[in-house]
Amino acid sequence: MPVLPPQPGRSGAPAPRRTPDAAPARRTALAEGVDRLRAAATTEPGRLRAIGALLAVLVVAFGAVTAWQTNSRATAADDVLHHSQPLSSDAADIYRSLADANTMAASGYLAGLEETPATRSTYEKDVRTAASKLVTAAANTDPGSSSATLIKQLNELLPEYKGLVESARANNRQGFPVGGAYLRAANDTMQNRMLPKAQDLYKNENQRLSADYGDATPYPWFAIALGLLALGGLAWAQRRNYQRTNRVLNHGLVAASAATAIVLLWLVVGHSFARAGLNASYDHGVKSLNVLHDARIASLKARSDENLTLVSRGSETRTLPDKKVVDAYDWGYDQEIAALGKGLKMADSLADDSAGRKPVAVANSSMTVWIARHKVVSDNNELGHYQEARDGVIGGKDATAECFNAVDASLDKALDHETSEFKQSASDGLDAMTGLTAGAAVLAVLGAAGAVLGIGRRLSEYR
C-alpha cells in the first residue's frame, strides 16, 4: 500500500513551528536615570546631593545675571559720559555755530567797509566749527539713519550759504543795493533750511542720550530677586542641617551665604549710588545744558534779527493773526528776546550752586540793558535816523553789541560750569559700578564652591 504523507492534526504529524517570544524592550537611559534619581531621593545622601546641586546652580545663576545686568548698565553709563552726551553737545554746537555765523554775517554787512577783522574772523571760525562738528557727527552716526541724512543735507547747504554771504559782502563793498537781497537770501537759507535741520539733529542726539540714561538707571530687579532666592535657599539648607545634626554652622554653607550676601549688598548699594550720580548728572547737568543751549541760540537769533531789521529797512514784513502787518525781523527779535528771558529764568531755577547762578544773573541783567537800548534803536529807525540806529547796534560804547557780547560770554561761562557738573556726577555714577561685574562673577563661583563643599562635608559622614 502506498504511504500517505502525514496530515496536520493526525497522530504522528509534526507539531507546528513556534516563533520565539520577542525580547522585552530596553528602557531608555533617561528613564533609568530618572528612576535612579527617584530612588536616591528617598535616601539622605541622595537628598543632600540634590540640595547641593540646586544651591550651586542658584548661586552661579545669581552671579551670572548680576554680571550681565551690571555690565549692560555700566556700558550704558559709559555711553552717557563718553558718547551720547558729547555728541548731543556737538549737535548743539553745530546749531550755535551756524546761528552765530549768520549773526556775524549780518553784523559785517551792516558795518560795510567798517567791518572789523574780529567780526570776519568770528564768522569764518563759526563756519569751520560747524563743518568740523558735522564731520565728527557723521563719523559717530549709523549710516542710513535720520541723523546721517540731516548731516548730509547740512554739508550740502553750508557751501550754498557761504556763497550767498560772499556775494552779499562783495556787492555791499561796492555799494550795490543788491547785496541786501543776497544777505536776506542767505538768512532765509539759514533760518528756514539749515537751522531746522540742525535742530532736528540736536533732538535726535538728545533722544539717544535719553535712551542711554534709560538703559543705565533701572534697578537690576531680576538679579536682586535671584540673590534673595539664593540666600533663602542657603538659609533653608543650613536650618535643615541644624535640625538633623544639631550643628549650628556648616562652614561651606556659611561661606556660600557670605559670598552671596556680599554680592547682593554690593549690587544694591553700588547701583543705588550709580543711579543717584546719573540722575544728578541729568537733573543738574543735562537739563541745565539744554536750557542754556536754547537760551544762547535765542540770543543769537535775536541779534541776527536786530541787524537784519536795519539791513532790510522795512522790506520784509509779516502779517500777524490779528491782520496787523509788522516788520518781520523786528517781530522776530521780540520773540527771541522773550524766549531768552524765559530760558534764563529756567536756567536760574535749575542751577544748584552760586557758581551756576551767577553767570545766569549777569546774562539776565545784560539782557535787560539790551532791551532798553534796542528800544532807542527802534525809535531812531522809525524816525528815519538810520545812522544813529546803526551806531546803536554796531557802534562802540552803549551799543546793543555790548549787551549781546555780555549775554553770550555769560552763557558760555554757565555752559562750561554745567558741563563740568555733568561730567563729575556722571563719572561718580559710573565709578560706583566699577568692578561689580567681575566681582559678582568671582564671588558667585566661590559661593557655589562653598555650597558644594559644605554639602560634601555632610555626605562624607555617610561613607
Side-chain angles (χ1 to χ4, degrees), residues 306 330 333 369-382 400:
E306 184 177 53
D330 196 44
Y333 167 85
V369 178
W370 184 3
I371 293 172
R373 292 182 182 180
H374 178 80
K375 178 67 169 57
V376 175
V377 169
S378 295
D379 291 342
N380 283 327
N381 192 40
E382 289 179 4
T400 58

Side-chain angles (χ1 to χ4, degrees), residues 1-6:
M1 294 180 65
V3 179
L4 298 174

Side-chain angles (χ1 to χ4, degrees), residues 399-456:
T400 58
E402 258 186 354
C403 304
F404 164 73
N405 291 335
V407 169
D408 194 64
S410 298
L411 289 175
D412 188 56
K413 187 175 181 181
L415 282 165
D416 285 343
H417 174 74
E418 296 302 333
T419 299
S420 177
E421 290 278 292
F422 161 79
K423 289 180 178 179
Q424 183 61 55
S425 296
S427 294
D428 290 342
L430 181 59
D431 290 344
M433 289 188 279
T434 300
L436 182 52
T437 300
V442 171
L443 287 172
V445 171
L446 293 177
V452 170
L453 290 174
I455 295 298

